[in-house]
Amino acid sequence: MLRKNLSLADTIFALTTGTLPSAVAIVKLSGSQAFTIADRLFFSNGETLSKKRAMWFGELRASTQKKIDDIVLISFVAPHSHSGDDTIEFHCHGSIAVVHALEKELLLHLARPAEKGEFSYRAMLNGKQTTAELENLADVFKAVHTADLEAIYSRKDGELEKKIGSLRSKLIGLQALLDTAVDFSEEYATVSEHSLSVIDQITRECSEVTQRYSRFRGGNTLPKLVLVGRPNAGKSSLFNSILGRYRAIVSEEPGTTRDVIEETFEILDRPWTVVDTAGIRPTVNTIEKEGIELGAAFLASASMWILVVDGTEGITEKEKELLKKYAETPHFILWNKKDLSGWRAVSKELEAITVSGSVFSNIEMEIFWQKLEGRSQTIVLGQSGPIPTAVQASRLEGVLLLLNEMRQTVLLGLPPEILSEKNRNIMVQIENVVGKVDVDEVLGRIFSDFCIGK
Ligand SMILES: Nc1nc2c(ncn2[C@@H]2O[C@H](COP(=O)(O)OP(=O)(O)O)[C@@H](O)[C@H]2O)c(=O)[nH]1
Ligand SMILES: [Mg+2]
């Protein structure tokens, strides 16, 4: 967290580029003394460093007059800089020795190392950037996928505000009901039933949004390829083949993939997650049953899925049901184990969506990959729906706690007066999710996500 008592009078500096050594390193110096300090260290060919907005070429020298580096210097005069203060950027060679020598000189001239996000903090205080812009910027740094950038930039379209508005009207409806129930106690059963359904719906919608945030924060927004099929069909063998290395437990006994296993791989240079699930047939033991249920849950979140069928056994009604149920999600069948003598060709109706072959045949797996690549191109990658900001996400978590409390209150059969009170509080809090962000919250949440030098 950025300290609140940072002196704005200080001239601050930081290396703004990445790990050294690098091709170029940019050290930023910002504050009232920036030009004075730079003038002592920088010697332009012919021209003296004056207070103007310009790009200069020259020598960086230590106080001992020893040369440190040949550099490009960019000067920004307040308020026309990122932070709004006078700013100098030293573009040096990205050498550890050069950068350390420069930093040592800056300290000698009483500049102070900047804290995380301090330049941006000054930009905010100087009216160069709003808190909303800073929040977006903090998230831009976290973004791994282009789709996330789109979600961040489209925040201004107010998608989350609309969602919160609609949730709030549901709560208003519930409030009306609760207020009348206070007068007519005999309707309590209806009231509690309706309350639960509203609470559950709002909880679901709020957690969808917070989950989207967690996925975004974790960088875990990769599209999912889900492998399903009956035990022993060859899912884990396919999983291994896709990864090109051993990972899942492949076994002759049906149902050894107890769990859901996820790994990252690439289709056409884009990162994907592949998920190996347990089989879909009704099963004997509970561990596998859990695995199966998980598998079904993963199908719902799949960007693409593959039904692996043992070609010596054929397809069952259960699998055909899956094909119908998840027809909208891009998918195809791998009609596996073609190398075995008991293998029978796939029926005409399924031919168009099937690759026939064996997981163990390189040539046939080539055809599989072509299909995989082809299907992947029809998929719009990324997550739909608004990504909340860090502050909004934490406020939403607060609302979720309140909703859970209210749910307990209903289940305990407490009087409508209490429900009504709780509901009113949730209405206030849910509105606040998209409300104004105060400076303390910004200090606490946003700047902790910033890098040094930003
Ligand atoms: N002959 C042959 N055996 C296969 C093929 N694919 C998988 N198997 C075998 O079938 C068994 C079950 O495979 P596994 O990948 O564990 O199936 P899962 O239960 O669907 O994950 C293992 O013994 C595999 O070696 C194939 O194309 N040909
Ligand atoms: Mg398996």
Side-chain angles (χ1 to χ4, degrees), residues 180-225:
T180 49
V182 174
D183 305 326
F184 308 102
S185 55
E186 68 277 7
E187 285 169 13
Y188 193 74
T190 335
V191 170
S192 68
E193 197 180 311
H194 183 72
S195 303
L196 280 183
S197 102
V198 172
I199 293 168
D200 287 348
Q201 193 189 349
I202 296 180
T203 303
R204 220 171 16 252
E205 293 193 30
C206 287
S207 18
E208 258 174 41
V209 180
T210 54
Q211 276 165 23
R212 213 173 290 129
Y213 181 74
S214 323
R215 277 205 302 272
F216 165 70
R217 277 225 68 154
N220 181 23
T221 56
L222 299 185
K224 247 182 213 148
L225 173 68

Side-chain angles (χ1 to χ4, degrees), residues 77-91:
V77 183
H80 304 292
S81 71
H82 163 237
S83 65
D85 294 335
D86 282 345
T87 300
I88 300 288
E89 280 181 10
F90 298 92
H91 292 231

Side-chain angles (χ1 to χ4, degrees), residues 146-163:
T146 325
D148 290 338
L149 288 181
E150 282 161 27
I152 295 165
Y153 297 140
S154 63
R155 276 176 184 159
K156 59 177 182 338
D157 303 339
E159 212 183 325
L160 186 63
E161 280 78 357
K162 275 180 219 138
K163 169 150 231 127

Side-chain angles (χ1 to χ4, degrees), residues 230-237 248-251 253 255-259 261 276-279:
R230 279 184 290 158
N232 223 30
K235 297 178 297 297
S236 301
S237 310
I249 312 150
V250 181
S251 141
E253 284 290 310
T256 30
T257 310
R258 293 263 185 256
D259 229 328
I261 304 172
D276 181 17
T277 68

Side-chain angles (χ1 to χ4, degrees), residues 49-249:
L49 187 66
S50 56
K51 218 169 182 183
K52 65 178 183 191
R53 207 175 175 198
M55 188 185 262
W56 317 69
F57 179 72
E59 232 175 71
L60 183 66
R61 289 186 207 147
S63 319
T64 56
Q65 292 308 307
K66 277 194 185 145
K67 174 176 172 176
I68 299 175
D69 195 8
D70 292 312
I71 68 163
V72 168
L73 183 150
I74 303 180
S75 55
F76 303 84
V77 183
H80 304 292
S81 71
H82 163 237
S83 65
D85 294 335
D86 282 345
T87 300
I88 300 288
E89 280 181 10
F90 298 92
H91 292 231
C92 329
H93 292 104
S95 132
I96 295 173
V98 165
V99 171
H100 283 191
L102 171 57
E103 287 180 336
K104 204 171 123 199
E105 289 301 326
L106 294 175
L107 283 170
L108 273 175
H109 288 90
L110 303 181
R112 144 175 93 67
E115 305 247 336
K116 263 184 171 185
E118 196 173 357
F119 294 103
S120 300
Y121 175 59
R122 288 186 174 189
M124 184 184 79
L125 296 181
N126 286 330
K128 302 286 293 189
Q129 266 179 322
T130 64
T131 48
E133 284 165 344
L134 284 173
E135 281 187 287
N136 281 354
L137 188 58
D139 283 341
V140 167
F141 281 111
K142 280 178 232 139
V144 182
H145 307 292
T146 325
D148 290 338
L149 288 181
E150 282 161 27
I152 295 165
Y153 297 140
S154 63
R155 276 176 184 159
K156 59 177 182 338
D157 303 339
E159 212 183 325
L160 186 63
E161 280 78 357
K162 275 180 219 138
K163 169 150 231 127
I164 294 291
S166 90
L167 295 182
R168 197 170 163 272
S169 10
K170 289 196 181 90
L171 290 168
I172 292 173
L174 178 60
Q175 188 67 37
L177 184 77
L178 290 172
D179 289 344
T180 49
V182 174
D183 305 326
F184 308 102
S185 55
E186 68 277 7
E187 285 169 13
Y188 193 74
T190 335
V191 170
S192 68
E193 197 180 311
H194 183 72
S195 303
L196 280 183
S197 102
V198 172
I199 293 168
D200 287 348
Q201 193 189 349
I202 296 180
T203 303
R204 220 171 16 252
E205 293 193 30
C206 287
S207 18
E208 258 174 41
V209 180
T210 54
Q211 276 165 23
R212 213 173 290 129
Y213 181 74
S214 323
R215 277 205 302 272
F216 165 70
R217 277 225 68 154
N220 181 23
T221 56
L222 299 185
K224 247 182 213 148
L225 173 68
V226 178
L227 310 181
V228 289
R230 279 184 290 158
N232 223 30
K235 297 178 297 297
S236 301
S237 310
L238 175 62
F239 181 82
N240 290 336
S241 161
I242 286 175
L243 297 176
R245 65 190 158 96
Y246 184 86
R247 177 70 171 75
I249 312 150

Side-chain angles (χ1 to χ4, degrees), residues 31 40 54 231:
R40 297 200 190 122

Side-chain angles (χ1 to χ4, degrees), residues 330-379:
H331 63 278
F332 62 96
I333 301 174
L334 175 64
W335 200 260
N336 194 27
K337 307 201 183 180
K338 197 176 177 183
D339 56 310
L340 294 181
S341 57
W343 188 87
R344 286 165 283 130
V346 66
S347 66
K348 278 264 174 294
E349 45 164 343
L350 294 176
E351 235 171 29
I353 55 160
T354 299
V355 171
S356 292
S358 160
V359 165
F360 300 137
S361 152
N362 289 337
I363 297 172
E364 286 155 4
M365 284 309 283
E366 265 314 304
I367 299 167
F368 169 89
W369 273 98
Q370 279 167 18
K371 186 97 172 173
L372 197 63
E373 290 172 0
R375 298 301 271 130
S376 81
Q377 280 170 313
T378 63
I379 297 167

